[in-house]
Amino acid sequence: MWVDRFLYPILEVRLRFVPTPVASRLTGLSTDKLREWTSRRALIPADVRPKRKGCPAKFSWQTVLVLRIAVLLRDQFSLELQSHKDSFAALRRELRNRSFIALWGQRLALHPGGAWVFLDEADSAPGSDYLSIRLDPHLVVLRDGFALSDAAADRGQLDLFSLPAIYRKAKPRAPKVATTGRKRSA
């Protein structure tokens, strides 16, 4: 079908994934804990599962953001994460519909029933109790780890070319030494 031939390659170019070691660094989880959360317990599954043993899983910025929020809930609020598994899945689905740039300046509210609500900084507090998470500190880590755009600097403008790819320093080549054609013996 034409969709498979033309649309999926475009989507693949737009999606950026990081392997397990990078996701581990971005989330603050050890690689063993990350594997436990994403594979064994399937609390927040990886976007691309490992193809075979020894191959890393791959993670999108949305999944890494959800993992960072889970780490924050566990470490700072001592929440039991397994009971929020469905809530994390709903948050991942919601993040798939949102632009990275549009999240800057927003807070994420977790209501007692496990529902997530995105709030602007200017929004007043909802009428019910909730746990509020500022997203900007997490977005800074993701921006740097995934080489994504910053809303404050770009005003919604996406990069046409990846700067690290353009400015990557070429390795200096060793000068060629002229040989006389004779083989040397050791």
Side-chain angles (χ1 to χ4, degrees):
M1 181 174 221
W2 73 270
V3 173
D4 294 334
R5 276 194 8 222
F6 297 107
L7 185 58
Y8 290 125
I10 292 169
L11 291 174
E12 192 64 32
V13 169
R14 295 195 55 159
L15 295 176
R16 295 182 188 170
F17 295 106
V18 294
T20 301
V22 176
S24 173
R25 182 177 47 82
L26 293 174
T27 59
L29 293 169
S30 68
T31 53
D32 289 337
K33 183 62 79 174
L34 182 62
R35 283 189 192 111
E36 178 186 332
W37 284 18
T38 59
S39 296
R40 284 174 246 151
R41 288 173 53 190
L43 181 65
I44 303 166
D47 294 288
V48 179
R49 297 193 48 89
K51 293 182 180 171
R52 61 185 182 277
K53 192 171 182 163
C55 289
K58 294 184 180 174
F59 301 87
S60 66
W61 68 264
Q62 294 96 337
T63 302
V64 174
L65 179 58
V66 174
L67 285 163
R68 286 184 59 83
I69 290 168
V71 169
L72 179 122
L73 293 175
R74 181 199 64 180
D75 293 349
Q76 294 187 10
F77 297 100
S78 301
L79 287 181
E80 172 55 44
L81 299 179
Q82 198 65 38
S83 62
H84 292 278
K85 181 178 177 178
D86 294 335
S87 178
F88 291 136
L91 178 58
R92 276 179 72 179
R93 283 191 302 273
E94 183 64 30
L95 285 170
R96 298 249 187 265
N97 298 324
R98 294 186 178 262
S99 153
F100 182 81
I101 293 173
L103 293 175
W104 288 92
Q106 291 198 336
R107 293 175 290 145
L108 189 58
L110 174 61
H111 289 273
W116 297 96
V117 177
F118 290 89
L119 304 170
D120 290 327
E121 289 292 335
D123 288 345
S124 62
S128 64
D129 293 332
Y130 68 96
L131 188 70
S132 177
I133 301 168
R134 292 181 324 114
L135 291 177
D136 284 0
H138 302 285
L139 297 177
V140 168
V141 172
L142 294 177
R143 178 199 62 199
D144 296 341
F146 280 84
L148 296 170
S149 298
D150 182 352
D154 294 331
R155 305 274 187 246
Q157 178 71 36
L158 294 174
D159 295 333
L160 181 58
F161 300 104
S162 171
L163 288 178
I166 292 173
Y167 292 109
R168 186 175 294 135
K169 292 185 178 181
K171 294 179 183 177
R173 294 183 178 187
K176 289 188 175 182
V177 179
T179 58
T180 59
R182 289 186 283 170
K183 291 185 179 178
R184 293 183 158 182
S185 60

